[in-house]
Amino acid sequence: MDKLLTVIVPVFNDEANIVRCLESLFNQTFCNMEIIVINDASTDNTLMVLEKYQKKHPFQVISMKENSGAGCCRNTGILAAKTPYVAFVDSDDWVDMSSYTKCFEQLSDNIDVVVFGLVYDYIAQNRREEKYYYSRKYTMPGEFALNIYAHTIPNEIKITPIVNNKVYRRQFLLDNNIFFHEELRYQEDDVFTFEVLARAAMVSFVNGCSYHYCQRNDSLIHTVSEYSIRSFISAYLTLETTLKSNGIFEKHKSAFYLKFKGSL
């Protein structure tokens, strides 16, 4: 049977967490999937850990020649995948066993994206918090989802820019040339998610939270610096340029400026 889903896992110097991540994927109740790990030129023992784990489970490892960032790794995975759908998981995160089964219960030909909730795991505080919880199933046009994402309309539903709590129809991404901007190393998820929702025909939401998103105090997104501010501005300038080059900036101008304001 041909596989339906490819889960793409970028990893850089994360020998301590990659096995936990892979264990959560290989123990999914949804079995019709394959895994591609993109080793982003790790300098620790990550590659050795992956090679050892391959003796237990079959999965593909693609090694980058130089450290290129999560966006480039994800693009490499999208192009390498042969399945109709793709998803992304970070190496220090993990996924509940029934996550992808629930997603595929709601998928149909006209749905380009499926979204499920997150569990924020605060490592230092040893606590968890459910975020973006969906109390029931929803399906809506992509443009409506974009307006919710950008807060142009009041709604009880919230959508995170994080790309890992979503399943994407691969051909939709290819047809619309939606890839991560590889020059961005900060808030590339904001740009990707805006582009996805602006182009998606229909978006579906799965009730509950099942992606465990590890929060670390020393992560880049929690650090305010000249670099983070300049990178933030660069991300939204990139998004503006992309929308204009595709001729859809005027259509989504209000959503763009409100999303920029909300993120700022």
Side-chain angles (χ1 to χ4, degrees), residues 123-139:
I123 305 301
Q125 294 84 11
N126 192 29
R127 67 181 180 88
R128 294 175 176 176
E129 182 180 354
E130 289 188 343
K131 296 272 193 175
Y132 303 95
Y133 176 82
Y134 305 114
S135 59
R136 61 182 178 86
K137 299 177 181 179
Y138 302 88
T139 299

Side-chain angles (χ1 to χ4, degrees), residues 90-158:
D90 286 347
S91 61
D92 57 345
D93 298 337
W94 57 282
V95 191
D96 282 350
M97 291 174 59
S98 61
S99 298
Y100 298 122
T101 295
K102 291 181 178 179
C103 289
F104 275 84
E105 287 173 352
Q106 289 184 222
L107 273 169
S108 61
D109 290 341
N110 68 330
I111 294 175
D112 292 320
V113 189
V114 177
V115 185
F116 49 96
L118 299 167
V119 178
Y120 276 42
D121 285 350
Y122 293 91
I123 305 301
Q125 294 84 11
N126 192 29
R127 67 181 180 88
R128 294 175 176 176
E129 182 180 354
E130 289 188 343
K131 296 272 193 175
Y132 303 95
Y133 176 82
Y134 305 114
S135 59
R136 61 182 178 86
K137 299 177 181 179
Y138 302 88
T139 299
M140 63 184 68
E143 187 172 354
F144 191 79
L146 176 65
N147 286 316
I148 291 175
Y149 173 66
H151 309 293
T152 62
I153 54 176
N155 199 288
E156 64 177 7
I157 304 173
K158 306 297 180 186

Side-chain angles (χ1 to χ4, degrees), residues 14 21-22 32 46 52 57 77 88 115 129 132 141 150 170-172 194 225 229 232 239-240 246:
D14 200 14
C21 173
L22 291 173
N32 201 359
T46 293
K52 182 178 180 180
H57 293 289
F88 309 106
V115 185
E129 182 180 354
Y132 303 95
R170 180 173 176 267
Q171 196 60 48
F172 155 73
F194 196 106
S225 64
I229 293 170
F232 169 80
L239 176 58
E240 180 183 21
N246 288 321

Side-chain angles (χ1 to χ4, degrees), residues 13-187:
N13 286 358
D14 200 14
E15 59 181 292
N17 297 302
I18 186 62
V19 169
R20 181 186 63 182
C21 173
L22 291 173
E23 283 286 297
S24 77
L25 296 175
F26 280 107
N27 284 291
Q28 290 290 306
T29 56
F30 184 80
C31 299
N32 201 359
M33 57 185 279
E34 61 185 12
I35 298 165
I36 300 178
V37 178
I38 314 294
N39 175 35
D40 197 13
S42 296
T43 57
D44 66 352
N45 293 318
T46 293
L47 183 57
M48 185 174 67
V49 171
L50 290 173
E51 291 173 344
K52 182 178 180 180
Y53 195 79
Q54 278 183 308
K55 297 176 181 178
K56 181 178 179 181
H57 293 289
F59 64 96
Q60 184 178 359
V61 176
I62 299 175
S63 290
M64 308 296 282
K65 292 182 179 179
E66 59 184 13
N67 183 256
S68 304
C72 183
C73 291
R74 291 165 178 164
N75 289 343
T76 300
I78 293 170
L79 294 173
K82 305 299 181 185
T83 56
Y85 297 93
V86 295
F88 309 106
V89 175
D90 286 347
S91 61
D92 57 345
D93 298 337
W94 57 282
V95 191
D96 282 350
M97 291 174 59
S98 61
S99 298
Y100 298 122
T101 295
K102 291 181 178 179
C103 289
F104 275 84
E105 287 173 352
Q106 289 184 222
L107 273 169
S108 61
D109 290 341
N110 68 330
I111 294 175
D112 292 320
V113 189
V114 177
V115 185
F116 49 96
L118 299 167
V119 178
Y120 276 42
D121 285 350
Y122 293 91
I123 305 301
Q125 294 84 11
N126 192 29
R127 67 181 180 88
R128 294 175 176 176
E129 182 180 354
E130 289 188 343
K131 296 272 193 175
Y132 303 95
Y133 176 82
Y134 305 114
S135 59
R136 61 182 178 86
K137 299 177 181 179
Y138 302 88
T139 299
M140 63 184 68
E143 187 172 354
F144 191 79
L146 176 65
N147 286 316
I148 291 175
Y149 173 66
H151 309 293
T152 62
I153 54 176
N155 199 288
E156 64 177 7
I157 304 173
K158 306 297 180 186
I159 302 174
T160 176
I162 295 168
V163 300
N164 298 332
N165 69 322
K166 302 170 179 70
V167 171
Y168 307 85
R169 189 163 63 85
R170 180 173 176 267
Q171 196 60 48
F172 155 73
L173 298 178
L174 298 178
D175 288 347
N176 290 280
N177 196 32
I178 300 175
F179 291 95
F180 292 89
H181 294 269
E182 296 181 4
E183 73 276 13
L184 300 177
R185 294 289 187 107
Y186 186 82
Q187 291 201 250

Side-chain angles (χ1 to χ4, degrees), residues 181-241:
H181 294 269
E182 296 181 4
E183 73 276 13
L184 300 177
R185 294 289 187 107
Y186 186 82
Q187 291 201 250
E188 66 272 23
D189 286 17
D190 289 51
V191 177
F192 185 85
T193 298
F194 196 106
E195 290 186 54
V196 163
L197 298 180
R199 295 300 189 97
M202 300 294 288
V203 179
S204 189
F205 297 81
V206 176
N207 63 304
C209 298
S210 54
Y211 185 94
H212 291 258
Y213 181 39
C214 290
Q215 302 293 296
R216 302 181 187 279
N217 294 333
D218 59 350
S219 68
L220 183 60
I221 62 172
H222 295 139
T223 304
V224 178
S225 64
E226 180 181 351
Y227 173 79
S228 66
I229 293 170
R230 289 185 182 275
S231 298
F232 169 80
I233 294 171
S234 177
Y236 276 88
L237 287 174
T238 297
L239 176 58
E240 180 183 21
T241 299

